Amino acid sequence: MKKYLLASLVFTVLLFLWSGITQMLPWGIPTTQKITVQSGDIANEPSNLIKLQPNALTTNDFDSTFNHKISTYTTNATFSWIVTQPLRTDYTSYFVGEIITQFFVGVLLVVLLLLTKNHNIQTRMLFVGIVGLITWVATYGQLLNWWALPATYAIGVGANLIIGWLVTCFIVSRFILKPEKQ
């Protein structure tokens, strides 16, 4: 049992770090357009921030209408999906949520490695790659279709997912949950 918990914790740490590092790739954080209608000084203002006048894009009812909801917004020329949440200055809850998410992913990857323990490491990585590809298509394929995510973003985060899973599964398979049949 200790071996499985250790493997899950290794997955958690490695996937958390991988997730953070890959956010800096061209299809991660750099792709976001940064627009603000905030008044006053903005702490850590990015150089590519587009400043608009308050209420230039919204009415006074925007926050109460959109907050804590997934909404659609239609103009004569565009259709948008909008996910709105309160403005945060403390990102601790994001990091805690990411650690919890990656822990559960790690537990599920441990299960996958246990199901493939009678196979050599190449076959196990093939299984992981196929499951990763299925996950990518099922998640980002739908978002590409329904939310019209930019293709570079969907392909980039999908590649991040598969590469991250393959690298971490290789490490865990090589050093912790070794195949029974070598």
Side-chain angles (χ1 to χ4, degrees), residues 144-179:
L144 186 67
N145 176 43
W146 290 104
W147 289 61
L149 286 180
T152 53
Y153 177 82
I155 292 168
V157 293
N160 292 350
L161 181 139
I162 292 171
I163 292 167
W165 285 13
L166 286 171
V167 168
T168 56
C169 281
F170 179 81
I171 291 168
V172 170
S173 291
R174 185 83 167 89
F175 299 106
I176 302 171
L177 300 177
K178 299 175 183 176

Side-chain angles (χ1 to χ4, degrees), residues 91-112:
Y91 294 95
T92 305
S93 63
Y94 288 115
F95 290 111
V96 170
E98 184 67 12
I99 289 170
I100 292 168
T101 298
Q102 296 305 347
F103 177 75
F104 283 115
V105 170
V107 168
L108 294 171
L109 288 173
V110 165
V111 171
L112 180 60

Side-chain angles (χ1 to χ4, degrees), residues 70-83:
I70 298 173
S71 308
T72 61
Y73 182 74
T74 308
T75 68
N76 288 336
T78 63
F79 177 84
S80 302
W81 286 98
I82 300 174
V83 179

